[in-house]
């Protein structure tokens, strides 16, 4: 199957409208309204794709009052297979913006959560930082599941971090040229609907086999639980081409590529990833790589800023490892081709700002 290369826009009701570079991609699985039976494929094909690192996209089509066909879809950020290997579930969430500023860290409103399942159900919930705004709902609708299978196994290890297949150096090299990473492992947690006590479940996975987990109540800054386990893990890298388009120094001077070419690629709708090289480590070996959730051009369009708003702050543990900190905070960041990084940290479960710092860093920019 060819790479799908989805491009999407997020609207106020957490509706995702997606278009593909392919004219007519074929769904790998369909679920109908009543039973979730395999209308267009066998569930085993979908499970096999998930086990091999594929990204999944969920779609539903319906007609509006003007009889026009509208397609709703979502990229599934996390996918799970039940123990009996009969049901696949995927989750998606988005935080509604309160303001739409393009020059500053945006304030956010309610969290919207979705769980899509191949049994034909969709579970939804809307939660803010204080309470559940709406009771959770569970509906059954027709849906199609698409798989982007352009993912390659780079490294596989046992729960003690011993290599089974592939190469750790191959994985490391792929990350340094902008490749995205997906993981596959068993943690015995799967659900086809949103639970009553909705919690954040964050995991920090290392090639040593260690999997660190913390759980927080979504509406409060109260830890629900934490654990440290060991798992065998498969690490996949995407097979799509990522171009190292540009690099800037801490002072904003060009060290690789062309800034004009980078901006041209962004104007053409390319996806962006950026790598921040820490100047605080010997040899400058500590590198953090982020997806750009949004990108903006300056008024004269000679500089680019990339916003990253979907991660939890990690602290360093030794030269290369990272762990969850004692204070769990959202990491909202804006990186620019001038070398400036605006980093704002906000308490999980509240609006309290923990820290707001600005610093300069060498940055590598990748597009696909």
């Amino acid at each position: 199957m060819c790479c799908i290369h989805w491009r999407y826009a997020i609207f106020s009701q957490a509706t995702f409208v997606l278009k593909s570079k392919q004219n007519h991609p074929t769904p790998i699985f369909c679920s109908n309204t009543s039973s979730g039976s395999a209308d267009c494929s066998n569930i085993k094909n979908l499970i096999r794709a998930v086990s091999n690192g594929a990204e999944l996209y969920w779609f539903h089509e319906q007609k509006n009052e003007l009889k026009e066909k509208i397609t709703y879809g979502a990229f599934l950020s996390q996918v799970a297979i039940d123990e009996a290997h009969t049901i696949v579930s995927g989750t998606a969430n988005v935080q509604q913006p309160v303001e739409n500023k393009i020059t500053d860290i945006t304030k956010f409103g309610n969290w919207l959560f979705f769980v899509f399942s191949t049994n034909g159900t969709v579970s939804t919930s809307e939660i803010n930082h204080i309470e559940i705004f709406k009771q959770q709902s569970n509906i059954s609708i027709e849906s199609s599941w698409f798989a982007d299978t352009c993912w390659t196994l780079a490294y596989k290890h046992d729960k003690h971090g011993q290599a089974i297949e592939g190469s750790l150096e191959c994985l490391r090299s792929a990350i340094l040229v902008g490749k995205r990473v997906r993981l596959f492992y068993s943690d015995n947690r799967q659900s086809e609907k949103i639970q009553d006590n909705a919690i954040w479940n964050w995991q920090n996975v290392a090639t040593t086999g260690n999997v660190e987990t913390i759980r927080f109540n979504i509406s409060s800054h109260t830890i629900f639980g934490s654990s440290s386990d060991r798992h065998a893990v498969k690490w996949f890298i995407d097979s799509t081409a990522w171009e190292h388009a540009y690099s800037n120094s801490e002072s904003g001077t060009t060290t690789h590529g062309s800034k004009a070419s980078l901006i041209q690629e962004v104007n053409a709708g390319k996806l962006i990833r950026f790598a921040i090289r820490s100047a605080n480590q010997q040899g400058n070996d500590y590198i953090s790589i982020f997806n750009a959730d949004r990108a903006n051009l300056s008024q004269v369009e000679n500089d680019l800023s990339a916003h990253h708003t979907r991660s939890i702050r990690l602290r360093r543990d030794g030269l290369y490892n990272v762990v969850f900190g004692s204070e769990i905070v959202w990491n909202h960041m804006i990186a620019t081709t001038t070398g400036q990084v605006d980093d704002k940290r906000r308490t999980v479960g509240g609006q309290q700002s923990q820290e707001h710092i600005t610093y300069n860093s060498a940055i590598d920019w990748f597009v696909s």
Side-chain angles (χ1 to χ4, degrees):
M1 181 181 293
C2 296
C3 301
I4 297 179
H5 293 296
W6 304 101
R7 297 293 185 265
Y8 58 87
I10 304 176
F11 294 87
S12 61
Q13 295 302 315
T15 298
F16 297 69
V17 179
L18 298 89
K19 295 183 179 180
S20 169
K21 287 184 178 178
Q22 292 179 321
N23 292 328
H24 300 287
T26 302
I28 193 171
F29 182 79
C30 303
S31 53
N32 64 19
T33 302
S34 57
S35 64
S37 61
D39 294 339
C40 57
S41 185
N42 191 301
I43 187 66
K44 292 182 179 179
N45 294 336
L46 180 60
I47 291 175
R48 186 180 303 111
V50 172
S51 301
N52 289 327
E55 279 188 305
L56 295 189
Y57 300 82
W58 175 94
F59 275 81
H60 167 66
E61 289 187 343
Q62 68 180 45
K63 291 184 178 180
N64 61 14
E65 61 275 8
L66 300 177
K67 305 300 182 182
E68 298 171 327
K69 183 183 291 186
I70 300 177
T71 301
Y72 300 92
F75 158 69
L76 304 182
S77 57
Q78 180 178 338
V79 179
I81 304 170
D82 72 331
E83 189 173 357
H85 279 217
T86 58
I87 297 176
V88 175
S89 299
T91 61
N93 63 73
V94 65
Q95 196 171 18
Q96 294 176 299
V98 175
E99 301 178 8
N100 188 24
K101 296 181 179 179
I102 63 172
T103 58
D104 196 3
I105 297 291
T106 304
K107 293 183 179 180
F108 291 97
N110 304 336
W111 282 103
L112 301 173
F113 295 90
F114 304 85
V115 176
F116 307 96
S117 177
T118 53
N119 63 12
T121 63
V122 178
S123 178
T124 65
S125 183
E126 181 176 355
I127 301 175
N128 80 341
H129 299 294
I130 301 173
E131 60 184 352
I132 297 178
F133 264 22
K134 295 181 180 178
Q135 293 297 324
Q136 299 159 6
S137 63
N138 296 282
I139 59 175
S140 295
I141 58 176
E142 296 180 356
S143 60
S144 300
W145 298 66
F146 294 83
D148 181 354
T149 57
C150 288
W151 292 82
T152 302
L153 179 65
Y155 187 54
K156 178 182 178 181
H157 59 77
D158 64 16
K159 67 179 183 179
H160 301 294
Q162 298 299 311
I164 298 175
E165 186 176 349
S167 161
L168 179 57
E169 185 56 37
C170 172
L171 174 63
R172 190 195 309 272
S173 298
I175 293 172
L176 291 177
V177 295
K179 296 287 188 179
R180 296 175 298 156
V181 177
R182 289 179 63 81
L183 310 180
F184 183 84
Y185 57 97
S186 174
D187 67 357
N188 299 320
R189 278 189 294 270
Q190 190 260 356
S191 178
E192 293 85 51
K193 66 178 183 178
I194 298 174
Q195 300 177 5
D196 293 335
N197 57 334
I199 60 172
W200 291 116
N201 185 79
W202 289 302
Q203 293 183 306
N204 180 31
V205 184
T207 53
T208 59
N210 188 61
V211 178
E212 182 187 14
T213 304
I214 58 170
R215 304 174 189 88
F216 266 80
N217 290 321
I218 290 177
S219 57
S220 70
H221 190 61
T222 303
I223 190 167
F224 188 79
S226 63
S227 62
S228 182
D229 304 299
R230 288 195 165 273
H231 292 285
V233 182
K234 293 195 290 186
W235 300 72
F236 297 91
I237 55 174
D238 66 349
S239 305
T240 54
W242 284 85
E243 176 190 356
H244 181 189
Y246 182 69
S247 292
N248 59 262
S249 67
E250 292 183 26
S251 61
T253 58
T254 299
T255 58
H256 173 85
S258 163
K259 187 190 300 184
S261 296
L262 170 64
I263 291 174
Q264 183 178 9
E265 297 281 24
V266 173
N267 279 326
K270 294 293 184 71
L271 299 177
I272 310 170
R273 286 168 60 79
F274 59 95
I276 295 180
R277 296 178 176 271
S278 173
N280 299 324
Q281 293 290 334
Q282 184 178 4
N284 212 23
D285 288 329
Y286 188 90
I287 301 173
S288 300
I289 302 178
F290 303 92
N291 293 322
D293 297 313
R294 188 175 73 187
N296 296 311
L297 297 174
S298 62
Q299 290 184 348
V300 291
E301 294 196 355
N302 59 0
D303 272 302
L304 173 75
S305 65
H307 299 224
H308 174 78
T309 60
R310 295 171 180 260
S311 68
I312 298 301
R313 184 73 178 179
L314 299 171
R315 66 173 177 84
R316 299 173 192 172
D317 182 30
L319 279 178
Y320 305 110
N321 195 31
V322 292
V323 295
F324 292 114
S326 56
E327 283 289 329
I328 307 301
V329 294
W330 292 108
N331 190 38
H332 293 173
M333 176 188 299
I334 300 176
T336 68
T337 50
T338 64
Q340 181 173 303
V341 180
D342 184 38
D343 197 344
K344 186 174 184 179
R345 300 158 194 177
R346 179 169 57 82
T347 304
V348 169
Q351 295 284 358
Q352 182 180 357
S353 179
Q354 288 289 327
E355 190 176 14
H356 190 177
I357 61 175
T358 301
Y359 59 94
N360 284 70
S361 175
I363 304 174
D364 297 329
W365 301 84
F366 305 93
V367 295
S368 176

